[in-house]
Amino acid sequence: MKTDDRRPMLIGLGAWVIATIVVLLFLTPLSHPANSWLLWTCMVGIVLGLVGLAYAAKRHK
């Protein structure tokens, strides 16, 4: 069955972008070095979402 996986990936990517914005808004309270993983997690989510989106777009053609 052929499916179009781009829409769910865009929704997930949007969620990571929103999470990044929220983390950046609270960056000062989270400036403790033990909390820097929050920002890195969001960034990795965005990068992996873009890779997945590129793969899904290539597969959809």
Side-chain angles (χ1 to χ4, degrees):
M1 172 188 295
K2 288 191 121 185
T3 60
D4 187 7
D5 299 328
R6 294 176 295 178
R7 180 170 288 170
M9 287 187 176
L10 282 173
I11 293 169
L13 191 56
W16 280 115
V17 169
I18 291 170
T20 302
I21 292 169
V22 169
V23 168
L24 288 174
L25 286 174
F26 294 104
L27 191 60
T28 304
L30 297 173
S31 62
H32 190 272
N35 294 329
S36 66
W37 66 272
L38 292 167
L39 185 60
W40 285 108
T41 302
C42 293
M43 294 299 173
V44 170
I46 290 172
V47 169
L48 289 177
L50 290 172
V51 169
L53 189 62
Y55 176 75
K58 181 180 175 185
R59 202 181 97 181
H60 184 70
K61 287 183 181 180

